[in-house]
Amino acid sequence: MKTILSRMKYRFLLHTAILFASLYLLTGCQTKTSDEPDTVSDSIAIANPTQEELNSDQSALLQEILGSSSEGVLRGITFGDPISKVKATETYEMFEELPDHLGYTHETAQLETIDIQYFLTKENTVNKIAVDVYLNSDAATRQLWQTGQSHFTEKYGTAQGDKKLLTWNKNSVKIRMEDVSQGKDFGLKFEFTPTDKNALAAN
């Protein structure tokens, strides 16, 4: 978790540095005449337009998270799948391999981070999938939330919950979508768990 938080702070500092470098170049190219008063550029005034460049299209980002396969619960993986299938199917970079889970990570061109953890039973079969998505702004978080809500409602029916936590429960799958943003750290968490224990024994 410390590594992910550090990565988020690094991205924030990088974006801030790029913004101030752009301001410096813009103000450096202007020639001040004797009639012009000394002014200080207002960095806040031009900060908002750059947000669009820092955020992915959230519909495309959700599709990136879900994967291209229509099979399984997520990214071609379903509950009860063996660890060997996860390793053969998942295309993201593995960052963690422990007895109870495998962790994979991916960073978008906009420096957003997707972390996926496949939790395992003692028999090394998948029994839970967790996805943490770290975003660059509140606007991106709200857009991904709305996109996720529309997608899962269409697939699993009406959600229950509130503006920070929604759940769907259908077809032996329970899905939780939570807004975990705190301060200047933005993001969503998704959890996929089986509701039918027989589903694990069948694979």
Side-chain angles (χ1 to χ4, degrees):
M1 185 64 182
K2 290 183 178 178
T3 302
I4 298 302
L5 289 175
S6 298
R7 193 181 304 167
M8 293 175 66
K9 291 177 181 177
Y10 168 77
R11 293 202 310 270
F12 176 76
L13 292 174
L14 178 63
H15 294 317
T16 303
I18 292 173
L19 177 62
F20 280 106
S22 299
L23 280 174
Y24 177 77
L25 291 174
L26 286 172
T27 57
C29 293
Q30 296 176 349
T31 304
K32 185 171 76 70
T33 65
S34 59
D35 295 332
E36 293 176 342
D38 291 334
T39 59
V40 177
S41 297
D42 184 0
S43 61
I44 296 177
I46 68 167
N48 288 335
T50 64
Q51 288 297 321
E52 294 182 3
E53 299 175 4
L54 299 179
N55 300 324
S56 293
D57 174 273
Q58 299 306 300
S59 294
L61 182 61
L62 180 65
Q63 188 57 55
E64 172 68 40
I65 295 166
L66 298 174
S68 58
S69 176
S70 60
E71 299 180 359
V73 174
L74 183 77
R75 303 177 62 77
I77 302 297
T78 195
F79 305 125
D81 282 346
I83 187 174
S84 57
K85 182 177 179 181
V86 176
K87 290 183 175 181
T89 304
E90 183 55 71
T91 58
Y92 288 172
E93 178 185 355
M94 183 188 289
F95 72 90
E96 197 168 50
E97 182 172 11
L98 295 173
D100 67 335
H101 73 274
L102 299 176
Y104 292 84
T105 190
H106 173 73
E107 192 170 85
T108 71
Q110 285 72 30
L111 302 180
E112 300 150 325
T113 301
I114 304 167
D115 285 349
I116 303 179
Q117 292 179 306
Y118 296 94
F119 290 89
L120 307 168
T121 65
K122 292 181 179 179
E123 291 75 29
N124 281 329
T125 59
V126 176
N127 70 341
K128 176 182 172 182
I129 305 172
V131 183
D132 294 299
V133 187
Y134 301 94
L135 300 164
N136 296 324
S137 71
D138 178 62
T141 304
R142 286 186 279 107
Q143 290 167 14
L144 183 59
W145 175 276
Q146 293 166 0
T147 302
Q149 182 176 2
S150 297
H151 171 81
F152 292 119
T153 296
E154 181 179 347
K155 188 172 183 179
Y156 294 99
T158 304
Q160 295 182 344
D162 53 36
K163 62 181 181 180
K164 283 290 188 177
L165 174 64
L166 292 176
T167 61
W168 293 264
N169 195 332
K170 186 179 179 182
N171 298 334
S172 301
V173 180
K174 181 178 181 180
I175 300 171
R176 285 169 47 96
M177 181 176 71
E178 183 178 4
D179 184 345
V180 293
S181 302
Q182 291 186 350
K184 294 183 179 180
D185 293 334
F186 305 103
L188 298 182
K189 183 180 186 69
F190 300 88
E191 285 187 353
F192 303 80
T193 54
T195 58
D196 182 5
K197 298 302 180 182
N198 292 327
L200 295 178
N203 291 284

